[in-house]
Amino acid sequence: MRAAERTADGENAPWGEVTPEAARKLLVAAVEAFAERGYHATTTRDIAGRAGMSPAALYIHYKTKEELLHRISRIGHDRALALLTAAADGEGTAAQRLAEAVHSFVRWHAEGHTTARVVQYELDALGPEHRAEIVELRRRSTAAVRRILVDGVRDGEFDVPDVPGTTLAVLSLCIDVARWFNAAGARTPDEVGELYADLVLRMVATQK
Amino acid sequence: MRAAERTADGENAPWGEVTPEAARKLLVAAVEAFAERGYHATTTRDIAGRAGMSPAALYIHYKTKEELLHRISRIGHDRALALLTAAADGEGTAAQRLAEAVHSFVRWHAEGHTTARVVQYELDALGPEHRAEIVELRRRSTAAVRRILVDGVRDGEFDVPDVPGTTLAVLSLCIDVARWFNAAGARTPDEVGELYADLVLRMVATQK
């Protein structure tokens, strides 16, 4: 119940691309079930039941539970990479691009926190090939943020003694929003995005 | 298997206080099983089996699976609170105390990342009373960090426009180390602690 409500607020979860509607409903049901009980405690029968379908109807769209997880993970990681690449390729100073990367990445983790938890915490449950594919998307997301830091250092805008470590910390700070964000809490996704963009710019600012 | 190896490197996991040895072995087995498969996918039979015991032997020490989770969560949260309180109550400037808080909290999440994942990610599985008890420990941990920030602002050492939000971000940054830390990776727990202490001091530094 709670997970269902939580998913409802992540309206911009990018499931619109999943067709037909039955396949989309099953994916949303899988996100809710995985977030609530964990991947290993969820059966395809649970997922079909949540979607109001029979197990046989599920198998028309997804052959295995892992195929559902892979689809969720792939859509989530594609979206994360698109957000971060758009920010890295955007107009403006390195500081403006870094603020945009953090703001949009945080907003995505806050608005879609139920989905983001599944995307970020169930990597170990993917099969080896799917896992390798997702690891490559993560590598490219990391590279987009690192590129902004490198540009900022080159242009004298940033002081970053440890670029790989700081890149990791920036991404990590944003990702953990999915763990603690509460739609009923005091801050909106945009407010968290704004606060975090400011904190990250402070991390990389040239020192007095 | 992997979880077992991971737990092995968290040697300073504070299970020494758990006696008798059978109760300790069951707790370590529960940490491994919960970290590997999730709380809901783990049975008391799985835990007893990992510890080389019978389910009946488990029930001598723990009446329910939730009791095992509570014991793990309680020990972990007591330890986190002790680390953060020691730093907040320590000698030195606010910057020195904040660096110590971050360094020790990060090191704990890195060295004991298998345990820390269970402690940080399975709060929803606790029963209402146990959950309330743990939430109170978390409130006190947060208060310890906030106190350092307030002291630093008062003494003109720090510039922190949003003390509650920055406190949350600092703790969140440290906690997420449990998700990504890899004992086979390039950085030791101490190196991550040092990097993160520097990044957090930058977050709160007075601005030019």
Side-chain angles (χ1 to χ4, degrees):
Chain A
M1 215 22 92
R2 255 172 74 221
E5 284 159 26
R6 282 198 236 123
T7 305
D9 62 60
E11 283 173 61
N12 60 352
W15 310 129
E17 69 192 82
V18 181
T19 56
E21 200 199 333
R24 183 165 59 246
K25 279 173 69 176
L26 286 161
L27 215 65
V28 171
V31 167
E32 291 172 6
F34 294 158
E36 204 171 288
R37 306 262 306 164
Y39 175 81
H40 294 292
T42 301
T43 64
T44 48
R45 180 173 289 272
D46 297 334
I47 295 167
R50 274 181 189 258
M53 293 182 207
S54 68
L58 183 146
Y59 286 114
I60 295 171
H61 302 286
Y62 304 99
K63 294 296 167 235
T64 63
K65 183 171 71 161
E66 195 268 350
E67 189 180 327
L68 275 155
L69 178 63
H70 171 249
R71 194 76 199 274
I72 294 162
S73 188
R74 177 66 201 241
I75 292 172
H77 281 92
D78 279 344
R79 180 78 183 134
L81 178 58
L83 290 173
L84 295 173
T85 304
D89 291 345
E91 302 283 317
T93 63
Q96 287 165 334
R97 289 153 62 212
L98 184 59
E100 173 56 24
V102 169
H103 197 133
S104 61
F105 202 48
V106 162
R107 198 171 44 209
W108 183 73
H109 280 88
E111 285 176 346
H113 53 98
T114 306
T115 302
R117 283 177 205 171
V118 175
V119 168
Q120 298 292 358
Y121 297 152
E122 297 287 9
L123 294 178
D124 284 344
L126 292 168
E129 273 184 46
H130 286 158
R131 202 180 137 82
E133 174 199 295
I134 296 298
V135 165
E136 171 60 16
L137 292 173
R138 294 176 78 88
R139 195 194 58 72
R140 290 166 59 196
S141 284
T142 303
V145 173
R146 190 173 48 231
R147 179 152 55 90
I148 307 175
L149 296 189
V150 168
D151 289 351
V153 170
R154 182 201 59 207
D155 299 346
E157 274 188 75
F158 297 162
D159 169 37
V160 183
D162 179 346
V163 169
T166 304
T167 302
L168 174 63
V170 168
L171 288 165
S172 172
L173 184 67
C174 299
I175 288 170
D176 195 55
V177 170
R179 181 184 56 82
W180 63 259
F181 187 80
N182 175 359
R187 293 165 197 269
T188 65
D190 256 324
E191 285 165 353
V192 180
E194 206 168 316
L195 169 65
Y196 274 42
D198 175 59
L199 291 173
V200 166
L201 289 181
R202 286 164 169 254
M203 277 187 187
V204 300
T206 53
Q207 304 295 294
K208 281 180 297 194
Chain B
M1 214 21 94
R2 256 172 75 222
E5 282 161 26
R6 282 197 236 124
T7 304
D9 62 60
E11 284 172 61
N12 59 352
W15 309 130
E17 69 192 82
V18 181
T19 56
E21 200 199 336
R24 184 164 59 245
K25 279 173 68 176
L26 286 162
L27 215 65
V28 171
V31 167
E32 291 172 7
F34 294 158
E36 205 170 289
R37 305 263 307 164
Y39 176 81
H40 295 291
T42 300
T43 64
T44 49
R45 181 172 290 272
D46 296 334
I47 296 166
R50 273 181 189 258
M53 294 183 205
S54 68
L58 183 147
Y59 287 113
I60 296 171
H61 302 286
Y62 304 98
K63 294 295 168 237
T64 63
K65 184 171 71 160
E66 195 269 347
E67 188 178 328
L68 276 155
L69 178 62
H70 172 249
R71 194 77 199 271
I72 293 162
S73 188
R74 177 66 201 242
I75 291 172
H77 281 92
D78 279 344
R79 181 78 184 133
L81 178 58
L83 290 173
L84 295 173
T85 304
D89 292 343
E91 302 282 318
T93 63
Q96 288 166 334
R97 289 154 61 212
L98 184 58
E100 173 57 24
V102 169
H103 196 134
S104 62
F105 201 48
V106 163
R107 197 170 45 211
W108 182 73
H109 280 87
E111 286 176 346
H113 54 99
T114 306
T115 301
R117 284 178 204 171
V118 176
V119 168
Q120 299 291 358
Y121 297 152
E122 297 287 10
L123 294 178
D124 283 345
L126 291 168
E129 273 184 45
H130 286 158
R131 202 179 137 81
E133 174 199 296
I134 296 298
V135 165
E136 171 60 16
L137 292 173
R138 294 176 78 88
R139 196 194 57 73
R140 290 167 58 196
S141 284
T142 303
V145 173
R146 191 172 47 231
R147 178 152 57 90
I148 307 176
L149 296 189
V150 168
D151 289 351
V153 170
R154 182 200 58 208
D155 298 346
E157 273 188 76
F158 297 161
D159 168 38
V160 184
D162 179 345
V163 169
T166 304
T167 303
L168 173 64
V170 169
L171 288 165
S172 173
L173 184 67
C174 299
I175 287 170
D176 197 55
V177 170
R179 181 184 57 82
W180 64 259
F181 186 81
N182 175 0
R187 294 165 196 270
T188 66
D190 256 324
E191 286 166 352
V192 180
E194 206 168 316
L195 169 65
Y196 273 43
D198 176 58
L199 291 173
V200 167
L201 290 181
R202 286 164 169 253
M203 277 188 189
V204 301
T206 53
Q207 303 295 294
K208 281 179 300 192

